[in-house]
């Protein structure tokens, strides 16, 4: 069982932390399916979020991206 922030998230991973990330992105208005799998749509949403918030748009969700997501909620 992973919690959001316990590991860097990127395309291909799955778990409860990915699901939590997807729920947060959905709340922020991103078109995303909450499945617990980090696929193409999740990666696209993460990159869009990063671009919109002056973060490095690499599609990887580390502590800085999570921090900004939580601030925006």
């Amino acid at each position: 069982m992973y919690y959001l922030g316990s590991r860097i998230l990127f395309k291909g991973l799955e778990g409860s932390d990915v699901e939590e990330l997807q729920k947060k992105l959905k709340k922020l208005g991103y078109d995303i399916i909450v499945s617990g799998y980090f696929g193409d749509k999740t990666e696209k949403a993460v990159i869009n979020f990063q671009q919109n918030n002056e973060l490095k748009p690499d599609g990887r969700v580390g502590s800085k991206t999570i921090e900004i997501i939580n601030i925006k909620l």
Side-chain angles (χ1 to χ4, degrees):
M1 182 86 144
Y2 295 103
Y3 62 90
L4 190 57
S6 66
R7 61 180 176 164
I8 294 174
L9 301 178
F10 51 88
K11 190 174 170 182
L13 292 180
E14 55 188 315
S16 53
D17 51 351
V18 174
E19 187 176 338
E20 188 178 342
L21 168 68
Q22 291 168 330
K23 286 177 182 176
K24 289 176 182 273
L25 289 170
K26 193 167 187 75
K27 271 187 185 174
L28 290 170
Y30 291 89
D31 179 25
I32 196 166
I33 297 166
V34 178
S35 65
Y37 176 74
F38 198 126
D40 291 334
K41 277 197 141 184
T42 302
E43 183 180 53
K44 184 178 178 188
V46 167
I47 289 170
N48 286 339
F49 177 83
Q50 291 170 328
Q51 288 172 332
N52 293 336
N53 291 279
E54 298 176 12
L55 296 164
K56 181 180 174 188
D58 59 5
R60 298 172 65 88
V61 181
S63 59
K64 190 65 178 170
T65 298
I66 292 167
E67 178 186 341
I68 303 300
I69 286 171
N70 286 331
I71 288 170
K72 296 285 180 176
L73 286 174

